Amino acid sequence: MASLAAIFGSGAMTNSIREIEGMEVIFIIGSNTKETHPVIANRMIKAYRKGAKIIVADPRRVPMVRFADVFMSLKPGTDIALLNGIAHVILKEGLHNEEFIGEKTEGFEEWKKSVEEYTPEKVERITGVAKKDIVKAARLYGGSRKAGIFYTMGITQHTCGSDNVRAIANLATLTGNIGRESTGVNPLRGQNNVQGASDAGCMPNVYPGYQLVENPEVQAKFEGAWGVPLSPKAGLKATEMIPAAHEGTLKALYIMGENPVITDPNTHHTVEALKKLDFLVVQDIFLTETAALADVVLPSTCFAEKDGTFANTERKVQRVRKAVEPPGEARSDLSIILEVAQRLGYPMKYTSPEEVLLEFGQVWQNLAGITYQRIEKEGIQWPCTDREHPGTQYLFKGGFPKGKVPFSPVSYTPPAEVVSDEYPFILTTGRNLYQYHSGSMTRRVDAIESHAGEPYVELNPSDGERLGIGDGEEIRVASRRGDIKIKARITQRVSSGTVFIPMHYREAAANVITNDALDKKVKIPEYKVCAVQVSK
Amino acid sequence: MMMKITIDGKSIEVPQGTTVLEAARMLDIAIPTLCHHPKLTPFGGCRLCIVEIKGIPRPVTSCTTPASEGMEVTTSTPRIKDLRKTVLELILSDHPNDCMVCERAGDCTLQEMAYAYGIRENRFAGERRIYTKRDGNPFLERDMEKCILCGRCVKVCDEVQGVGAIDFTYRGFQSKICPPYEEDLDCEFCGQCVAVCPTGALAGKMWSHKGRQKGVREVDTICSYCGTGCNITLHVKGNEVIRVTSREDTWNEGWLCVKGRFGYQFINNPDRLAKPLIKRDGKFEEASWDETLEYVGKRLNEIKASHGPDAIGGLSSARCTNEENYAFQKMLRAGVGTNNVDHCARL
Amino acid sequence: MNKNVTVQVCMGTGGMAAGGAEVLAAFESLMKEKDIPAEFRRECSLHKVGCRGLCAKDVLVDIIVDGTRTTYQYIKPDMVQRIIDEHITGGNPVAEWQVADDYHKFHEKQVKVVLSDCGTIDPEDIDSYRGAEGYQAIRKVFTSMSPEEVIEVMKKSGLRGRGGAGFPTGVKWEACRKASGDQKYIICNADEGDPGAFMDRAVIEGNPHAVIEGMVIGAYAIGASKGYVYIRAEYPLAVERLTIAIKAARECGFLGENIFDTGFAFDIKIKLGAGAFVCGEETALIASIEGQRGMPRAKPPFPVHNGLWGRPTVINNVETLANIPYIIKRGPEWFSAYGTEKSKGTKVFALTGKVKNTGLIEVPMGITLREIIYDIGGGIENNKKLKAVQTGGPSGGCITDEMLDINVDYESLARVGSIVGSGGMIVLDEDDCMVNVAKYFLNFTRDESCGKCVPCRIGTKRLLEILDRITKGLGREGDIELLEKLSGDIKSASLCGLGQTAPNPVLSTIKYFREEYEAHIREKKCPSKACRDLLTYSILKDFCVGCGACMRACPAAAITGEKKKPHTINDEACIKCGSCFDVCKFKAVNRE
């Protein structure tokens, strides 16, 4: 999201979900929308029923392919080549938006040279996607001025993830498919309040509202608001904290509602690092794998037990309401934080969650207009700058915050780990429809467990045949970092040479074998590609 | 193009393509329906929404008839009411009258219609469809004896969900909605069909005997799974969430996924942490809040004193609220003095 | 020796069932085997032809010698030798095998338009059709008429849809022509499903090219480039002949890209139906072609505006389409000279039931029912008394013996509560119980209801239950009124034609035979002695000779008695099958 912000000036979904049904072309890349964002997929299907064309690019034959006019089954990690190839065809066929490029962008000519080499022939060789499909996708996307791009972790969880995002942004910029209704660039957020956590400044380099920590004016503003001196330097990213703990420079970690043992790459390394800490506090609703390593565990509340707001993937701030009392002595996360802050010598006096939101609005203009009363019935999409402001359905209506949108040349680089004779398969990971993330919630739902309670690895029938592996057989999947035993699911969903493991199952945790190599800019781990061997 | 149409003496201009039923609803004229659903294509099967249109001898279904210029509609003549009563009696003659134990009693359109039309005796009592096999899927109770074949589930599964897991099978009186070859349902289990079912034919298996309306509170909130942020309504009895639904008048139109609709059981899970724990000699021991908070404060202050604020880090959660995330980073930045704060956006 | 000989063997489904293929094969092999001079053989031709109507007398064989036609009936393969010897080579027809007066009488009052070439041309040979002026109509249309002119001719002819509803064909075409759409379709509805009806089947089996020619003309008139024939898979012979015919028409350029060099493109696909009666309903038929379950949808919108794949579509029945080439060739005035003021032309009926000459007939609209039954049909079998005629199949009603002078046309039949329908005509005699007749049809519609709408799905089931209990002696006071009420409501509230007409047999039988219903309900008697549950069997002591035949025939061992002494029937064990009644030579079994 940070990369998207660098280009357009804001890193959220530019359209709203409702606008999907007005789109003529929907380009889904690296998102298994039907399983990870099922209700957004419903909107896409609604658009499809109204005649929208759907393009899907994914290493796996994901369910949305059923509705696709073009399905591009690309080799994992080759997104940039594919996106540049599409841009190449759009340029060659004159489908680009010259007016938009002339008025609202910069760096076009230089970028144009960078995609010249990405001919369909070359891209076919790199990605495995047929030339004609690349051309067809380019004609569909480039031929429409109401086209939306949708992506998720399939784009970002790569060592080249931020370049992937740039390549996507280039496509939208090239065609002017941004800044209007029903056309834009839409990263779909994987968790209920990732947007809100980012907005609220739970990032080491920015204060609430994406205001840079290292900007002295900003620092002064927050020192004024919070009444204490603040650190002038950016902190550690989550994916840097674990190595820092390993090295001993990070001594204490306070984890609220996270389970990095399961969700971080290279599990063994994560566990070792957490064990090395002097002090680990985990605040959670269950004794998770991470909480088990803690010095102190603070019982907190789930969403049904507290009041507050979530911001969804379309920047909509919506009201969360308390429905039941928490178990035993468990307390709301907010009240625990206030207690801890008190003991750190920094008392925060809020009498209600709403007071926190109102303060948030005072330090960030985009939330200034939101009150609980205004979102009683339906949420409001930020920016919402004052109490009369209706909220913002889609971004960049009046132009881009940074003035002109830069084209940024990006070139294809192979993933950090490529297949070898010893590790001949590419492993890609993700979610399935039924389970969620580390499974701490869904794996405690009987119906879900009885239907989808078992870990599995998806394997193409031809690979299965070659290795003599049958459906349901237990096999070993190993990388340079570890190995797991897991049942094979023989399916056409993955193409030959690729295997897929859902991340949810601690008993066969995919992240035991995933690569903790990070994107160089935004430090997202490369969950989507690592080299593995598969054996009986 | 706008059309002027008169319904029960009231006139309204509606855009081309508007059905008579939609026009009537714009005028707040109530026409009973069972198979109609505003978000699905018209079906015209239940026949309850029949009306009389001047110039057409036969009653027509208002849900399927497009309004046309100058159309004059009467929605409730004695003849129409009489026909509706016959239709309802026919439906009820093939329906188990077990509202006493039905999961959907009180939330059943058919029951409401029977009540409104005061149907007690049934002139057409006769054979009922009996199905003894229970669908073995873990999510949806499919009691096809209660199914009135309105087709909403078939349509929502195809039109909205794009799955098409079920369809009409057999013919005539034996018509039945089921998965291919009458096997157990194996689908996305979004429960959209349950949401649109007007009777007790479809319900959540986990709702069973947990509570209907009496003593049940409804609390509107937001789903805590993916970033879509669907509106959900928690149905609470005592201190237990017994059911999740979604209102149709919000942006997600009442549609949910399997996790949102059926993934709430963790809330009441006995594994939930209920007391603070402090690890002593490698083992967790329960402790009081005061003791625990004091201990946390003490340790963090010590580490800050000996190693500096940047030796402390915090990871917040995408599952917590905006307010909690704001307070968390403020605690670390202003309370501890470090910018070592992050969350899981990358994972 | 004769110069020019044509042999025509009836090879419709009826003819085939009676052994037509074997008869034809016998002719073929014997003609070859026989010492017949080669030049004669060249002049001699063998043809399979379609049904000529009187299926009861199959296999029918026509021998045409120098233009003189002789018709033989009940021909078996072993009779062929003698026909060849005596008639073909000898010149003397075999008198005793020729058809008799009844055959000629059967045809006398018929007027054949649709069936005019059925039974004379070879349906599997396009040249045979062309030889009978076939495909002259489309030549005329494509070379000298505008689509509007074609529509005008249709309107002028007064042709109305023969599928049952009787909607004017020209008006339908005009509406479709005027409807806007990038693509239009014409569909031939060959999903004939009424019990006992086989008109469309016979037309396609006997003269498929007329249907194709009709479709091409229709396509030209409305501007359709694609056509479908929706035909039941249970009609394999019709499907086979239609497939052959479409292929031949394509090869001759009557179908395809550039018909008669006009640039007009039209082709036909065959779509097999799975035998659901409701798929004869046009919206259900469309759904079925689209790959959906065949369930009707509400009209409007009508198919002429919103039909197959949402495009303007004309659906015409087989017989309607087969009329069209003749109307074009001979002119609308010729056609409208037949029939009554509002019902023009002829109509094909499948005459079945208790009539002597069952079969396929084509009569001018307006002919009386009496003429059909007594002149064409030859009267009632076994000289029983006519009770009623059921027309229009499960959607129709009955006409009593008192109304036999009624004109058979759309309006007159509607006036007495029946319909022309697609052309089923079932003759009932004094042994037929009218409650049972209603029950028979309701059983059919109950089974064939698609299940979509409540009145039809559940209503027909309840009607049947009430009828069933009446025929079992469990009828209650008020049941007749309940039947009338429910029937009326089903008619008013059902979605499609199936449900809207399903109660007709009930209403019509109540209307004319109410006393039969009352007898069942009040006296627990079936006046026609057809309802098994209402019968009691007893042995008349005075007549019984104690032969034991009834005892041996009884499947329930309900009859006891010593030899040569009167036997008795145990009422409780009796299953009322009637075997004893049938087997007794002494009329000693009493049934009441």
Side-chain angles (χ1 to χ4, degrees):
Chain A
M1 313 302 143
S3 339
L4 198 61
I7 301 155
F8 295 125
S10 182
M13 193 171 158
T14 72
N15 298 116
S16 51
I17 296 167
R18 273 196 180 115
E19 288 168 52
I20 294 172
E21 63 183 89
M23 291 179 181
E24 295 168 350
V25 173
I26 294 171
F27 182 9
I28 305 165
I29 180 163
S31 160
N32 180 5
T33 321
K34 193 94 179 71
E35 296 196 78
T36 60
H37 297 85
V39 176
I40 291 179
N42 287 355
R43 283 283 165 158
M44 293 176 173
I45 293 168
K46 199 169 178 183
Y48 168 81
R49 303 266 180 242
K50 289 180 172 180
K53 305 286 181 202
I54 294 180
I55 305 166
V56 175
D58 204 290
R60 296 163 69 215
R61 182 169 278 277
V62 291
M64 277 311 284
V65 172
R66 286 207 300 275
F67 306 92
D69 273 72
V70 190
F71 168 47
M72 298 181 283
S73 173
L74 76 170
K75 287 181 194 148
T78 62
D79 306 76
I80 292 174
L82 181 68
L83 291 161
N84 281 356
I86 291 171
H88 176 101
V89 177
I90 289 175
L91 277 167
K92 202 170 106 193
E93 306 212 345
L95 297 169
H96 53 293
N97 189 336
E98 282 180 23
E99 192 188 329
F100 183 86
I101 294 167
E103 284 175 16
K104 302 200 170 151
T105 72
E106 57 194 20
F108 174 67
E109 289 304 326
E110 190 203 344
W111 169 81
K112 191 177 165 184
K113 282 188 209 106
S114 77
V115 297
E116 256 163 34
E117 59 175 300
Y118 290 91
T119 61
E121 292 74 18
K122 176 179 173 173
V123 173
E124 175 172 336
R125 277 198 306 278
I126 298 172
T127 62
V129 176
K131 214 166 58 179
K132 66 167 179 29
D133 289 335
I134 298 167
V135 172
K136 192 173 174 192
R139 285 178 184 159
L140 278 177
Y141 183 78
S144 171
R145 292 295 174 257
K146 275 205 161 193
I149 304 183
F150 295 82
Y151 66 90
T152 56
M153 298 306 182
I155 280 295
T156 54
Q157 288 177 346
H158 292 278
T159 45
C160 57
S162 51
D163 281 351
N164 282 348
V165 173
R166 283 188 170 76
I168 286 176
N170 287 339
L171 266 191
T173 312
L174 178 64
T175 51
N177 275 326
I178 189 151
R180 283 174 291 117
E181 187 166 357
S182 294
T183 176
V185 176
N186 298 293
L188 302 178
R189 298 297 205 162
Q191 303 195 40
N192 59 324
N193 202 31
V194 181
Q195 187 69 50
S198 310
D199 295 348
C202 285
M203 292 196 285
N205 61 330
V206 291
Y207 289 111
Y210 309 95
Q211 303 174 71
L212 289 174
V213 161
E214 293 182 346
N215 179 335
E217 279 174 40
V218 171
Q219 187 187 335
K221 171 181 166 182
F222 278 91
E223 284 176 343
W226 294 345
V228 285
L230 298 169
S231 166
K233 73 175 185 26
L236 297 172
K237 296 186 170 73
T239 40
E240 291 167 332
M241 288 186 206
I242 300 298
H246 212 265
E247 288 158 17
T249 52
L250 190 77
K251 300 286 182 192
L253 191 55
Y254 188 144
I255 302 178
M256 173 172 83
E258 282 294 307
N259 190 8
V261 169
I262 295 293
T263 58
D264 279 21
N266 200 346
T267 304
H268 298 317
H269 184 258
T270 308
V271 171
E272 272 174 42
L274 293 178
K275 281 183 175 166
K276 282 190 177 172
L277 287 166
D278 284 355
F279 188 55
L280 175 62
V281 183
V282 173
Q283 180 171 315
D284 212 316
I285 61 172
F286 290 109
L287 193 68
T288 62
E289 292 75 3
T290 305
L293 303 174
D295 297 290
V296 172
V297 178
L298 304 171
S300 64
T301 46
C302 76
F303 80 108
E305 294 151 357
K306 59 193 174 193
D307 280 295
T309 56
F310 289 153
N312 77 349
T313 187
E314 52 171 354
R315 301 165 277 108
K316 184 176 282 183
V317 178
Q318 307 191 100
R319 190 69 167 79
V320 178
R321 291 182 184 83
K322 179 174 174 174
V324 288
E325 292 298 331
E329 296 176 20
R331 291 185 183 178
S332 88
D333 294 271
L334 182 60
S335 70
I336 300 170
I337 293 165
L338 299 188
E339 293 281 0
V340 174
Q342 169 89 29
R343 283 160 178 86
L344 292 174
Y346 184 74
M348 294 191 272
K349 301 280 179 214
Y350 301 111
T351 55
S352 71
E354 187 175 14
E355 275 182 29
V356 182
L357 186 77
L358 293 175
E359 181 185 310
F360 190 176
Q362 281 164 14
V363 298
W364 189 34
Q365 191 67 27
N366 281 351
L367 285 190
I370 297 179
T371 65
Y372 279 15
Q373 194 245 321
R374 283 194 73 193
I375 57 171
E376 184 62 28
K377 264 205 83 90
E378 179 152 359
I380 293 177
Q381 288 171 279
W382 62 254
C384 172
T385 48
D386 61 59
R387 297 280 155 94
E388 313 304 319
H389 195 290
T392 306
Q393 186 192 324
Y394 58 91
L395 297 180
F396 316 132
K397 189 176 185 176
F400 298 89
K402 298 188 170 179
K404 296 214 169 186
V405 182
F407 276 98
S408 22
V410 285
S411 51
Y412 165 70
T413 48
E417 203 172 73
V418 291
V419 294
S420 62
D421 287 346
E422 198 184 347
Y423 296 100
F425 282 90
I426 299 175
L427 166 72
T428 178
T429 64
R431 294 181 181 168
N432 67 26
L433 170 65
Y434 305 95
Q435 298 285 3
Y436 177 74
H437 220 57
S438 76
S440 61
M441 301 194 293
T442 48
R443 298 209 70 191
R444 289 184 169 90
V445 177
D446 296 341
I448 291 176
E449 272 301 274
S450 79
H451 188 71
E454 227 184 346
Y456 57 89
V457 52
E458 291 181 352
L459 187 67
N460 185 275
S462 66
D463 293 333
E465 202 169 310
R466 193 162 45 79
L467 299 170
I469 294 168
D471 194 51
E473 208 171 311
E474 190 170 86
I475 58 172
R476 181 173 163 272
V477 180
S479 74
R480 293 181 175 90
R481 289 156 294 280
D483 70 315
I484 55 172
K485 291 216 154 177
I486 190 165
K487 272 191 183 168
R489 182 178 287 182
I490 305 295
T491 169
Q492 299 276 6
R493 266 199 179 198
V494 286
S495 44
S496 179
T498 303
V499 294
F500 168 83
I501 300 178
M503 63 180 286
H504 318 289
Y505 303 94
R506 71 187 75 84
E507 62 272 40
N511 286 328
V512 168
I513 43 185
T514 50
N515 192 355
D516 48 359
L518 302 180
D519 177 271
K520 50 198 177 295
K521 297 194 190 75
V522 293
K523 311 295 180 194
I524 297 181
E526 185 148 65
Y527 290 108
K528 298 302 177 193
V529 191
C530 77
V532 296
Q533 51 177 249
V534 172
S535 56
K536 281 179 93 162
Chain B
M1 199 166 75
M2 298 299 280
M3 313 265 186
K4 193 178 170 193
I5 168 172
T6 308
I7 305 175
D8 294 344
K10 293 188 216 167
S11 293
I12 186 171
E13 292 223 339
V14 294
Q16 190 168 18
T18 308
T19 63
V20 171
L21 179 68
E22 286 163 345
R25 292 196 169 162
M26 288 176 201
L27 287 166
D28 282 331
I29 293 169
I31 296 177
T33 57
L34 274 172
C35 69
H36 175 77
H37 190 282
K39 299 196 168 72
L40 303 174
T41 54
F43 186 63
C46 78
R47 317 306 290 169
L48 281 176
C49 72
I50 48 171
V51 295
E52 285 182 1
I53 295 176
K54 197 174 171 186
I56 301 178
R58 184 186 293 285
V60 300
T61 42
S62 55
C63 69
T64 59
T65 308
S68 62
E69 181 59 35
M71 194 178 253
E72 288 178 44
V73 181
T74 320
T75 66
S76 191
T77 62
R79 177 187 177 215
I80 291 292
K81 279 195 211 160
D82 189 48
L83 282 175
R84 286 182 188 148
K85 188 159 185 274
T86 296
V87 168
L88 271 174
E89 265 185 80
L90 285 173
I91 295 172
L92 291 166
S93 75
D94 184 33
H95 192 84
N97 285 318
D98 63 355
C99 304
M100 287 287 192
V101 292
C102 182
E103 201 59 54
R104 296 286 295 269
D107 176 32
C108 169
T109 319
L110 180 61
Q111 193 185 35
E112 205 53 30
M113 296 275 171
Y115 165 78
Y117 281 79
I119 293 167
R120 197 180 175 89
E121 306 299 319
N122 199 317
R123 291 168 289 172
F124 311 119
E127 191 195 336
R128 257 197 326 106
R129 290 164 299 151
I130 304 291
Y131 301 120
T132 47
K133 184 178 165 278
R134 190 167 181 245
D135 194 314
N137 82 77
F139 296 94
L140 305 183
E141 195 62 75
R142 301 181 65 249
D143 185 348
M144 289 300 103
E145 291 181 18
K146 290 179 183 168
C147 172
I148 59 166
L149 289 115
C150 69
R152 284 189 190 184
C153 54
V154 175
K155 279 181 177 292
V156 82
C157 190
D158 175 34
E159 293 173 8
V160 173
Q161 201 63 19
V163 170
I166 43 172
D167 204 346
F168 287 81
T169 52
Y170 302 108
R171 286 203 295 243
F173 187 71
Q174 293 305 329
S175 298
K176 182 182 181 185
I177 287 164
C178 54
Y181 310 108
E182 295 195 73
E183 286 175 355
D184 288 346
L185 189 63
D186 184 8
C187 63
E188 295 181 357
F189 297 110
C190 61
Q192 255 63 293
C193 52
V194 178
V196 298
C197 179
T199 72
L202 300 176
K205 274 193 175 156
M206 60 195 75
W207 303 353
S208 181
H209 306 297
K210 290 275 190 184
R212 297 190 291 201
Q213 277 73 45
K214 184 95 177 155
V216 174
R217 285 181 297 128
E218 294 184 11
V219 180
D220 291 338
T221 186
I222 302 299
C223 178
S224 71
Y225 285 105
C226 78
T228 309
C230 296
N231 289 269
I232 57 174
T233 301
L234 304 179
H235 297 243
V236 181
K237 185 158 187 181
N239 196 43
E240 189 183 358
V241 175
I242 58 161
R243 186 160 62 238
V244 172
T245 60
S246 181
R247 294 204 329 261
E248 286 175 20
D249 60 354
T250 63
W251 72 263
N252 54 299
E253 304 188 333
W255 311 137
L256 293 176
C257 75
V258 58
K259 298 183 285 286
R261 198 181 297 280
F262 297 119
Y264 58 84
Q265 216 180 13
F266 74 90
I267 301 170
N268 289 84
N269 191 285
D271 295 347
R272 281 289 300 274
L273 292 169
K275 280 206 150 201
L277 304 172
I278 297 176
K279 197 178 264 170
R280 293 189 177 105
D281 302 329
K283 274 189 185 162
F284 283 121
E285 287 175 14
E286 290 187 354
S288 74
W289 272 108
D290 275 349
E291 185 192 354
T292 312
L293 290 165
E294 287 300 329
Y295 180 57
V296 170
K298 184 173 144 271
R299 293 290 288 128
L300 290 177
N301 285 328
E302 282 169 7
I303 290 167
K304 182 178 164 184
S306 50
H307 300 283
D310 285 338
I312 299 173
L315 285 177
S316 90
S317 172
R319 271 175 293 284
C320 289
T321 63
N322 291 327
E323 292 78 359
E324 289 158 349
N325 275 295
Y326 180 87
F328 187 79
Q329 60 88 32
K330 188 176 169 187
M331 170 183 79
L332 279 151
R333 289 193 160 114
V336 177
T338 178
N339 284 313
N340 287 341
V341 56
D342 205 354
H343 70 288
C344 63
R346 295 168 186 84
L347 311 177
Chain C
M1 180 156 300
N2 297 307
K3 288 272 157 47
N4 190 331
V5 176
T6 305
V7 178
Q8 296 176 334
V9 181
C10 177
M11 291 267 276
T13 293
M16 298 271 273
E22 290 75 24
V23 172
L24 187 71
F27 270 106
E28 239 158 11
S29 63
L30 290 173
M31 300 271 276
K32 240 179 233 162
E33 236 174 65
K34 266 281 158 197
D35 191 18
I36 295 173
E39 82 257 26
F40 169 69
R41 238 184 278 153
R42 244 176 276 123
E43 295 298 319
C44 182
S45 57
L46 269 171
H47 293 286
K48 49 177 121 172
V49 296
C51 180
R52 75 250 341 248
L54 200 52
C55 303
K57 304 207 182 285
D58 271 325
V59 176
L60 290 161
V61 175
D62 279 7
I63 311 283
I64 306 159
V65 176
D66 295 338
T68 309
R69 180 185 294 266
T70 308
T71 305
Y72 293 101
Q73 61 185 12
Y74 303 123
I75 298 304
K76 298 269 173 279
D78 58 9
M79 298 157 79
V80 172
Q81 181 78 65
R82 187 171 156 199
I83 294 173
I84 293 176
D85 288 347
E86 294 182 18
H87 188 170
I88 296 178
T89 53
N92 299 311
V94 185
E96 71 235 55
W97 293 348
Q98 285 183 43
V99 292
D101 267 2
D102 55 351
Y103 181 85
H104 299 296
K105 230 184 149 194
F106 177 78
H107 286 101
E108 219 165 69
K109 289 208 170 170
Q110 293 195 49
V111 172
K112 298 209 172 181
V113 175
V114 172
L115 299 177
S116 56
D117 294 319
C118 257
T120 58
I121 61 161
D122 183 338
E124 294 179 18
D125 178 7
I126 192 168
D127 291 332
S128 174
Y129 179 65
R130 293 178 80 175
E133 293 182 4
Y135 290 111
Q136 292 297 319
I138 64 166
R139 178 174 299 279
K140 183 172 171 186
V141 163
F142 277 88
T143 54
S144 67
M145 294 171 81
S146 68
E148 288 74 16
E149 282 167 341
V150 175
I151 289 169
E152 205 43 51
V153 167
M154 283 304 128
K155 285 166 80 177
K156 229 186 209 171
S157 74
L159 176 65
R160 293 167 65 175
R162 298 301 195 229
F167 192 82
T169 306
V171 176
K172 192 189 263 187
W173 285 11
E174 190 172 41
C176 190
R177 165 123 211 121
K178 286 180 177 164
S180 59
D182 52 346
Q183 169 76 56
K184 292 177 187 179
Y185 297 97
I186 184 164
I187 298 173
C188 169
N189 183 350
D191 191 55
E192 184 171 53
D194 286 14
F198 48 91
M199 300 76 62
D200 297 343
R201 173 184 206 156
V203 171
I204 295 180
E205 285 174 359
N207 191 3
H209 286 288
V211 180
I212 295 170
E213 191 173 8
M215 281 182 82
V216 178
I217 293 166
Y220 177 75
I222 64 171
S225 62
K226 284 181 187 156
Y228 286 87
V229 179
Y230 187 86
I231 184 166
R232 303 164 67 91
E234 295 96 319
Y235 281 2
L237 184 63
V239 173
E240 186 191 328
R241 290 192 176 154
L242 192 63
T243 308
I244 294 169
I246 290 172
K247 189 164 171 274
R250 215 177 272 142
E251 280 162 8
C252 293
F254 303 132
L255 290 174
E257 282 307 311
N258 185 15
I259 302 172
F260 284 103
D261 284 331
T262 54
F264 186 82
F266 177 69
D267 211 340
I268 296 173
K269 270 188 191 166
I270 294 177
K271 176 81 191 176
L272 296 185
F277 177 64
V278 73
C279 286
E281 199 282 338
E282 52 187 11
T283 57
L285 187 154
I286 287 171
S288 179
I289 292 181
E290 289 174 352
Q292 309 286 321
R293 174 180 163 97
M295 291 205 293
R297 62 156 176 79
K299 295 184 281 192
F302 291 94
V304 286
H305 296 115
N306 183 347
L308 187 62
W309 316 112
R311 305 310 203 305
T313 302
V314 153
I315 299 172
N316 286 136
N317 148 280
V318 171
E319 188 186 336
T320 314
L321 289 166
N323 265 302
I324 287 159
Y326 300 99
I327 295 172
I328 295 286
K329 279 184 285 195
R330 299 175 195 173
E333 295 80 9
W334 163 83
F335 184 81
S336 62
Y338 297 109
T340 61
E341 192 198 336
K342 288 186 174 166
S343 305
K344 300 295 185 191
T346 60
K347 175 78 192 99
V348 180
F349 287 98
L351 185 61
T352 56
K354 304 289 177 60
V355 74
K356 279 180 187 149
N357 298 332
T358 57
L360 196 68
I361 62 168
E362 183 172 357
V363 292
M365 288 280 191
I367 191 171
T368 66
L369 203 50
R370 186 180 301 281
E371 288 172 287
I372 291 179
I373 291 164
Y374 288 98
D375 297 340
I376 298 171
I380 308 303
E381 264 188 325
N382 304 322
N383 295 318
K384 296 251 184 176
K385 191 174 170 306
L386 172 82
K387 186 187 239 175
V389 182
Q390 162 81 21
T391 67
S395 311
C398 61
I399 299 159
T400 65
D401 60 335
E402 288 153 24
M403 300 188 282
L404 278 185
D405 291 311
I406 189 172
N407 298 110
V408 176
D409 61 53
Y410 293 109
E411 282 69 32
S412 306
L413 291 193
R415 222 172 290 130
V416 298
S418 188
I419 58 169
V420 171
S422 59
M425 190 174 271
I426 302 168
V427 178
L428 305 166
D429 71 9
E430 57 192 280
D431 292 342
D432 291 309
C433 167
M434 298 312 284
V435 185
N436 218 14
V437 166
K439 190 173 122 182
Y440 168 81
F441 283 115
L442 254 299
N443 192 37
F444 178 82
T445 40
R446 189 271 320 250
D447 275 348
E448 293 293 341
S449 163
C450 78
K452 178 170 175 174
C453 80
V454 173
C456 180
R457 179 180 77 239
I458 309 178
T460 55
K461 164 78 176 169
R462 299 296 174 237
L463 282 180
L464 181 64
E465 283 175 346
I466 298 167
L467 290 168
D468 190 57
R469 72 180 180 229
I470 293 174
T471 61
K472 289 201 165 115
L474 303 169
R476 308 164 195 159
E477 207 52 54
D479 271 356
I480 300 176
E481 293 71 21
L482 189 59
L483 282 172
E484 288 176 319
K485 163 73 179 151
L486 182 53
S487 292
D489 288 355
I490 294 171
K491 279 170 74 83
S492 297
S494 288
L495 192 163
C496 82
L498 195 160
Q500 288 163 5
T501 59
N504 285 352
V506 179
L507 289 173
S508 153
T509 50
I510 292 178
K511 184 173 175 189
Y512 297 115
F513 299 95
R514 195 178 188 100
E515 69 288 348
E516 277 196 37
Y517 281 83
E518 285 167 350
H520 282 77
I521 293 168
R522 293 185 188 150
E523 296 147 39
K524 312 293 177 203
K525 292 278 177 212
C526 174
S528 314
K529 297 185 175 150
C531 295
R532 187 192 275 198
D533 290 306
L534 298 185
L535 297 177
T536 46
Y537 288 88
S538 57
I539 291 176
L540 302 169
K541 289 202 164 57
D542 296 346
F543 294 88
C544 181
V545 299
C547 71
C550 56
M551 204 157 70
R552 287 190 294 277
C554 180
I559 302 177
T560 51
E562 286 177 41
K563 252 190 179 169
K564 303 205 169 162
K565 285 189 180 161
H567 288 19
T568 50
I569 299 177
N570 174 1
D571 258 359
E572 278 175 18
C574 176
I575 57 163
K576 300 170 183 185
C577 67
S579 300
C580 53
F581 184 85
D582 295 337
V583 83
C584 181
K585 290 176 188 153
F586 307 97
K587 297 211 187 292
V589 178
N590 183 39
R591 179 169 72 178
E592 56 180 15

